[in-house]
Amino acid sequence: MVELKTEESINEMRAAGRVVARALAAVREAARVGVSLLELDGTARAVLAGAGAGSPFLGYRPQFAPVPFPGVICASVNDAIVHGVPDGYRLRDGDLVSIDCGAELGGWVGDAAVSFTVGRPRPADVRLIETAEAALAAGIAAARPGNRIGDIAHAIGTVCRSAGYGIMEDFGGHGVGRTMHEDPGVPNEGRPGRGMQLRPGMVLAIEPMLIAGGGDDYRCDGDGWTLRTLDGSRAAHAEHTVAITANGPRILTAP
């Protein structure tokens, strides 16, 4: 069931979204060569604590997971696409890092992700990240009343496929509100004009996940969480929480 949020509820979600934006900015600023993923998780924890916010990630355990998630961020490096567990790995020059973060404030959740490089960037990584951001922007632009979920999916998929990148199978965006994962699902590829019609009050996490090698397959690490490209190529992830309004899409996790 899809819950339509009131304007007041959307404003409250925007408050949670601002916390997410601050946490992602702080983590990105702290991400330098030699810094560990655990230290980045600590940076995000400090931002959440300072805002009086909780983490929808910490302790989260869906059916597929063998253990609850131990961090407040997902930290996915190089060939890790999503759900990377923050650990003692120390960042190296040229690493491609994707950070996914959520915040719960006043009973509402915000969820967003950003990808960036550490040290000297590879041109191929810059292009991959730029395409992920362009795909996200295209998906957001399609998030208007009267359009359908398939229009968002088609917009994202067109950008990704046109650039020659793969799209992770089985995973995509989702509704968000009082919990991190709500209806409806938002695929990253699909046919325009299909699926649920978008209505004011719907709030969606739109999140393209791109695979540089062009394939769609992935594998799961032994930790039961980290999903990696099957071909070993690099990946990028971009995400915003977006409200559908009568005036068009409103990005709730913008800085």
Side-chain angles (χ1 to χ4, degrees):
M1 184 178 72
V2 176
E3 177 191 2
L4 297 180
K5 281 73 175 178
T6 65
E7 183 177 355
E8 180 181 2
S9 296
I10 290 172
N11 288 335
E12 291 178 4
M13 290 189 70
R14 172 60 175 145
R18 286 193 180 97
V19 176
V20 174
R22 292 200 298 271
L24 288 173
V27 169
R28 185 169 188 164
E29 176 66 24
R32 296 189 172 94
V33 174
V35 174
S36 75
L37 300 183
L38 278 174
E39 289 172 318
L40 296 184
D41 188 72
T43 296
R45 286 177 190 249
V47 173
L48 296 182
S55 169
F57 288 19
L58 185 63
Y60 179 61
R61 187 179 183 183
Q63 288 185 337
F64 68 79
V67 295
F69 195 77
V72 303
I73 61 169
C74 295
S76 307
V77 180
N78 296 332
D79 65 328
I81 312 168
V82 289
H83 302 167
V85 175
D87 57 16
Y89 176 83
R90 294 192 175 277
L91 295 173
R92 301 171 185 174
D93 187 42
D95 277 347
L96 193 167
V97 183
S98 297
I99 302 293
D100 193 350
C101 184
E104 184 175 5
L105 187 68
W108 297 100
V109 172
D111 184 12
V114 63
S115 293
F116 54 85
T117 56
V118 175
R120 292 168 293 183
R122 300 181 183 185
D125 290 345
V126 172
R127 177 174 177 267
L128 178 65
I129 293 168
E130 288 177 345
T131 305
E133 293 171 348
L136 175 59
I140 293 171
R144 297 180 175 276
N147 278 357
R148 295 184 178 271
I149 292 291
D151 294 309
I152 298 175
H154 178 71
I156 293 171
T158 297
V159 173
C160 297
R161 296 299 189 189
S162 296
Y165 297 128
I167 297 171
M168 188 180 184
E169 294 180 337
D170 308 321
F171 286 85
H174 49 87
V176 61
R178 294 194 179 277
T179 63
M180 182 167 55
H181 292 126
E182 298 182 354
D183 291 332
V186 185
N188 285 327
E189 189 169 31
R191 298 175 63 182
R194 299 295 182 93
M196 181 179 294
Q197 189 171 51
L198 304 178
R199 299 163 58 191
M202 294 175 67
V203 180
L204 308 174
I206 299 174
E207 51 177 325
M209 308 163 195
L210 280 62
I211 298 175
D216 300 344
D217 296 327
Y218 61 92
R219 63 178 178 85
C220 187
D221 269 2
D223 61 21
W225 278 101
T226 307
L227 301 181
R228 296 186 183 275
T229 62
L230 193 62
D231 61 7
S233 65
R234 293 191 168 194
H237 179 203
E239 178 184 16
H240 271 308
T241 296
V242 180
I244 313 298
T245 79
N247 296 321
R250 180 184 178 191
I251 302 173
L252 303 183
T253 45

